[in-house]
Amino acid sequence: MLAKRIIPCLDVDSGRVKKGVNFNNLTDVGDPVEIAAEYQRQGADELVFLDITATNEHRKTMTQVVEQVSSQVFMPLTIGGGVSSVQDIQALLKAGADKVAINSAAVDNPDLITAGAEKFGNQCIVVAIDVSKNKSGEYIVYIHGGKTATKLNAIDWAKTAVEHGAGELLITSMDRDGTKDGFDISLYQEISQVVNVPIIASGGAGRALDFSEVFKQGNVDGALAASVFHYGELTIEEVKQAVKKEGITIR
Ligand SMILES: O=C(O)c1ccccc1NC[C@H](O)[C@H](O)[C@H](O)COP(=O)(O)O
């Protein structure tokens, strides 16, 4: 059994790490380089940086952040936010990213996934999907930082993204984001039945048991969290100890 991964997420807005609830009311939680170094000390398996403003001038800030962080931490780095071309992917890989997450631009143009996978290898291409349940209980895809609802069913879009070459999926429940109510297990159960690439769960982690639950029942390969780690409610070591106790393979 491949080791499962515990992945802190740094949502970066204008060069600062921010955190909100359901993608709103963002508060400043600190400097990205310092926070990344702390997560390395705690034994994180991987880091995700999301540039949640992702306007052009912030894109340069993000590249600088990636260069600084990649010179200090040695975990795999996934970078996302506003990526919309093969050139953007190349610039982030050059700055030190190991993987690049594409979200809105992949929905607008799925061929970008294929172009990135063909040029850099599909292991570099993560498709990030932000999901919210509608009134009839269907999982719907949102883009533009969770601001725009699409007509896409998230399960179908996940399948399409992998068919276009995505090497990994980062699936965020907007409904659970920042709530600490636990991961949306049924979302991951549905997606893991239709794709055969690694899935990273994201949104809602509140207790160490939430991580074991999403690995066991959600059938995912990695569990991403922001709030509980940023606010010091859990350390990565505590989560890993609890997950190991449940018999799950983890580094
Ligand atoms: O993903 C986005 O586009 C976005 C935009 C604005 C604000 C937050 C955003 N994403 C939320 C992150 O993916 C967030 O770190 C994960 O959902 C993990 O959240 P918690 O572990 O519940 O805090």
Side-chain angles (χ1 to χ4, degrees):
M1 152 98 78
L2 279 179
K4 303 293 188 184
R5 292 172 267 156
I6 304 298
I7 308 171
C9 180
L10 288 76
D11 301 316
V12 179
D13 173 5
S14 323
R16 296 288 296 175
V17 179
K18 303 283 179 74
K19 189 62 211 117
V21 179
N22 303 129
F23 286 28
N24 293 309
N25 308 320
L26 302 182
T27 54
D28 186 311
V29 291
D31 173 77
V33 181
E34 286 168 18
I35 293 174
E38 171 57 21
Y39 288 145
Q40 172 160 270
R41 271 192 294 279
Q42 290 189 25
D45 296 302
E46 195 168 317
L47 276 187
V48 168
F49 277 78
L50 284 179
D51 179 355
I52 54 177
T53 39
T55 52
N56 283 334
E57 79 268 15
H58 291 140
R59 182 90 39 76
K60 291 188 195 69
T61 314
M62 200 60 195
T63 309
Q64 286 155 7
V65 167
V66 175
E67 283 164 353
Q68 288 164 15
V69 170
S70 59
S71 65
Q72 295 189 43
V73 302
F74 310 104
M75 302 161 284
L77 281 184
T78 297
I79 312 297
V83 174
S84 59
S85 68
V86 168
Q87 291 72 19
D88 289 345
I89 299 170
Q90 183 155 348
L92 288 170
L93 292 173
K94 195 157 166 278
D98 300 277
K99 295 183 266 185
V100 174
I102 315 172
N103 191 325
S104 306
V107 171
D108 293 339
N109 171 24
D111 291 341
L112 173 62
I113 304 169
T114 312
E118 284 173 351
K119 189 169 169 69
F120 306 108
N122 60 2
Q123 78 290 343
C124 283
I125 306 299
V126 178
V127 170
I129 307 176
D130 295 336
V131 181
S132 179
K133 242 184 196 170
N134 67 11
K135 290 188 190 62
S136 47
E138 186 184 1
Y139 288 118
I140 299 298
V141 176
Y142 278 66
I143 53 176
H144 306 149
K147 291 185 174 51
T148 309
T150 70
K151 294 194 176 352
L152 288 172
N153 171 287
I155 317 308
D156 297 341
W157 168 234
K159 194 164 180 292
T160 305
V162 172
E163 285 162 358
H164 277 78
E168 185 162 279
L169 295 177
L170 167 55
I171 312 288
T172 295
S173 162
M174 296 169 58
D175 307 330
R176 299 296 176 95
D177 170 63
T179 64
K180 301 176 200 160
D181 291 340
F183 294 98
D184 182 343
I185 300 299
S186 57
L187 171 59
Y188 303 107
Q189 287 172 334
E190 289 190 38
I191 291 190
S192 61
Q193 277 161 14
V194 300
V195 302
N196 57 1
V197 299
I199 297 168
I200 310 300
S202 160
R207 308 161 304 150
L209 274 180
D210 292 333
F211 293 83
S212 312
E213 188 188 46
V214 78
F215 288 140
K216 278 189 168 171
Q217 295 172 33
N219 199 19
V220 301
D221 304 87
L224 178 150
S227 305
V228 286
F229 293 140
H230 292 345
Y231 298 127
E233 291 157 22
L234 279 176
T235 65
I236 291 166
E237 293 103 333
E238 285 165 348
V239 171
K240 288 196 168 186
Q241 285 314 318
V243 166
K244 275 181 193 155
K245 271 205 195 106
E246 295 291 314
I248 294 163
T249 308
I250 198 145
R251 181 174 67 93

